Amino acid sequence: MKNSKLLYYSIVVALAGFLFGFDTVVISGADKQLQNLWHSSDLFHGLVVMSSALWGTVLGAIFGAIPTNSWGRKKTLIFIGVLFFLSALGCAFANEPYLFAFFRFIGGIGIGVSTIVAPSYVSEIAPAKQRGQLVALYQFNIVFGILIAFVSNYFLQDIGENAWRWMLGIQTVPALIYTLLVLRVPESPRWLLEYKNNKEDAIRVLKLIEPDETIVNQEIEAISKEHSQKTTNENIFMKKYRKPLLLAFFIAFFNQLSGINAFLYYAPRIFELAGLEKSASFLSSIGIGVINLIFTIVGISLIDKYGRKTLMYIGSVGYIISLGLVATAFYMEWKGMFVPVFFFLFIAAHAIGQGAVIWVFISELFPNKLRAAGQSFGTSVHWVLAALIPSFMPFLIDKIGAATVFAIFCIMMVGQLFWVFLKMPETKGKTLEELSESLSE
């Protein structure tokens, strides 16, 4: 990439994804230790202890557009770094489940807000031809954070009865580093123009990331034109925005109905159900993280070349095959490495498809003035389901069995394949302003 500042700003902001991924998965290593420590029932453990962060993401996703728009992208990015730091510190010193859940909830708010502000920021500074790859850096950092969390949990699992405190508390280090780095990132030029009407600063920032003055002037003209056409009382629920609203809803809906978060939260537990020993289940979880990272890199490298829709086709077919095999393995009671290998295929399908596409796609659907609100809607759908499904996983596996649970996920992915074929548009290579015009009715 020719412009080093554009790449640097994109990487720094995308580090919010690292904190998201680490925070989401690190709890899996403490899962059984916390349930045994506080003698929790499966229902209480799933709803309160394990899923408290996910309920925080729901709140963050619903209301995250408010600070993103009123404070600006940069201040909101700093705010989420502070939330992650406080959450990790509080969890490490918590002595009872409700206090622990409170601090996990705070971290969850940080995750929810980050899924709005980070993709929005990067999409607003990136040129159309590189937008997919640059926004997908957020997803790369999510899976990198997931891998590091699995590795961290593996090495910390046997250090004693307080291993869980170290697992959760170590996140204070990357949270502090991220917060300090984001202080040096400039404000989004589109936010400056849309919300502050500050053309001078918007041009200054654009010149930092685009040395060609002709292109800068074209960008400013396009943003100004869209800005002049929007009325102040518009919202994403107006009839003219029905199409992007439904697109955001369904990509988020199918993302979670694959069972991805349910699996990531309970990977060691699921592997133990499949017959692996505790240490082997933690090691297999690292394998999940490695596969996720490798195929996310593949997805990022392909997203601007072959487009969002092609990757969703590949991911959908991979989901159906892998989840069908997982359900069969549990139904037939195949022990050993069958389930982990099938889950490796599942993670590869997710990383190339939904994982690489979701945050890019949602960030492209709405006009500049409504981008944060649209991102908030899509991520809210995502996180409500991401909270509900893992909350009931221990209960559902106990009551209806793992085979049935994963068979349901498989059927839902058949639905995703049809949705991609019938409804999903291709967005690669188009400017945000061009997409806004084509998707509005």
Side-chain angles (χ1 to χ4, degrees):
M1 187 169 292
K2 294 179 181 179
N3 194 319
S4 58
K5 285 187 177 179
L6 173 64
L7 181 60
Y8 174 74
Y9 297 149
S10 300
I11 290 172
V12 168
V13 172
L15 286 174
F18 178 91
L19 298 172
F20 163 1
F22 192 98
D23 192 89
T24 297
V25 165
V26 72
I27 190 69
S28 68
D31 173 19
K32 286 197 167 182
Q33 196 173 4
L34 291 173
Q35 187 169 14
N36 294 332
L37 176 66
W38 290 319
H39 309 291
S40 307
S41 68
D42 281 346
L43 199 57
F44 179 88
H45 182 65
L47 279 170
V48 178
V49 177
M50 292 296 288
S51 296
S52 52
L54 290 172
W55 295 113
T57 64
V58 173
L59 186 70
I62 291 172
F63 296 105
I66 297 173
T68 301
N69 287 338
S70 59
W71 298 353
R73 296 4 180 184
K74 179 177 178 176
K75 288 181 181 177
T76 306
L77 288 165
I78 296 168
F79 171 67
I80 61 176
V82 174
L83 288 181
F84 280 121
F85 181 84
L86 293 175
S87 172
L89 196 64
C91 287
F93 288 98
N95 286 315
E96 54 92 27
Y98 292 104
L99 186 61
F100 178 86
F102 170 75
F103 282 109
R104 286 287 294 165
F105 184 82
I106 288 176
I109 293 174
I111 293 175
V113 178
S114 83
T115 55
I116 297 169
V117 66
S120 293
Y121 179 93
V122 179
S123 72
E124 289 174 351
I125 67 168
K129 62 183 179 181
Q130 297 168 322
R131 189 174 61 245
Q133 290 185 337
L134 290 173
V135 178
L137 285 173
Y138 180 69
Q139 177 64 20
F140 171 83
N141 275 281
I142 292 173
V143 300
F144 185 49
I146 288 171
L147 172 60
I148 297 303
F150 278 138
V151 171
S152 175
N153 286 351
Y154 177 75
F155 285 108
L156 293 173
Q157 64 175 313
D158 294 321
I159 65 170
E161 61 180 12
N162 287 319
W164 65 272
R165 296 187 188 276
W166 288 98
M167 288 178 182
L168 291 147
I170 202 168
Q171 193 183 1
T172 55
V173 177
L176 183 60
I177 292 170
Y178 160 80
T179 306
L180 293 174
L181 286 174
V182 86
L183 289 170
R184 301 293 300 273
V185 167
E187 184 53 85
S188 158
R190 281 180 166 85
W191 181 83
L192 287 167
L193 204 54
E194 286 284 353
Y195 285 89
K196 294 297 181 183
N197 202 24
N198 190 336
K199 190 173 182 178
E200 184 180 337
D201 280 354
I203 292 172
R204 178 182 57 79
V205 175
L206 279 172
K207 284 182 177 178
L208 288 174
I209 56 181
E210 177 51 70
D212 190 326
E213 195 165 331
T214 302
I215 295 177
V216 170
N217 291 333
Q218 289 172 349
E219 289 261 353
I220 289 292
E221 185 179 343
I223 299 168
S224 300
K225 181 181 177 183
E226 183 188 295
H227 177 61
S228 66
Q229 291 173 345
K230 305 299 176 188
T231 59
T232 56
N233 61 347
E234 283 195 337
N235 64 76
I236 60 170
F237 299 104
M238 295 173 68
K239 185 179 179 180
K240 65 186 294 187
Y241 299 121
R242 178 174 53 189
K243 186 174 181 179
L245 197 71
L246 288 173
L247 290 170
F249 174 87
F250 278 107
I251 196 167
F253 174 83
F254 285 120
N255 182 284
Q256 285 306 301
L257 265 295
S258 69
I260 181 64
N261 265 44
F263 171 64
L264 291 176
Y265 260 58
Y266 297 103
R269 180 184 291 234
I270 291 169
F271 287 152
E272 285 187 48
L273 280 173
L276 297 186
E277 297 294 329
K278 177 186 174 185
S279 183
S281 70
F282 271 83
L283 199 55
S284 294
S285 298
I286 294 177
I288 291 294
V290 172
I291 295 292
N292 203 357
L293 187 67
I294 291 170
F295 282 92
T296 295
I297 294 171
V298 173
I300 291 172
S301 68
L302 298 177
I303 193 167
D304 283 324
K305 185 176 182 181
Y306 294 106
R308 290 59 162 150
K309 193 165 183 173
T310 300
L311 297 191
M312 287 293 287
Y313 276 129
I314 296 170
S316 297
V317 173
Y319 273 148
I320 294 165
I321 294 171
S322 58
L323 287 168
L325 289 171
V326 170
T328 302
F330 276 113
Y331 181 76
M332 302 296 291
E333 297 184 352
W334 295 342
K335 299 297 182 181
M337 288 301 295
F338 283 104
V339 169
V341 168
F342 297 154
F343 266 121
F344 290 164
L345 178 58
F346 168 77
I347 288 294
H350 174 80
I352 286 180
Q354 275 274 10
V357 172
I358 181 171
W359 308 118
V360 176
F361 189 68
I362 294 176
S363 73
E364 295 173 324
L365 295 175
F366 297 91
N368 294 322
K369 191 76 173 180
L370 300 176
R371 181 162 299 110
Q375 193 87 11
S376 176
F377 172 79
T379 56
S380 295
V381 174
H382 174 280
W383 287 117
V384 167
L385 292 171
L388 285 173
I389 295 170
S391 293
F392 291 99
M393 271 298 284
F395 178 78
L396 289 173
I397 288 174
D398 180 58
K399 296 301 179 185
I400 65 175
T404 304
V405 170
F406 289 105
I408 292 170
F409 291 146
C410 180
I411 292 167
M412 295 308 302
M413 292 304 94
V414 175
Q416 173 177 276
L417 182 60
F418 280 103
W419 173 77
V420 172
F421 177 72
L422 295 171
K423 296 294 183 180
M424 184 179 178
E426 183 53 73
T427 59
K428 74 163 185 172
K430 298 177 182 178
T431 69
L432 295 176
E433 288 70 32
E434 287 170 344
L435 288 170
S436 171
E437 186 175 348
S438 65
L439 293 174
S440 301
E441 296 178 358

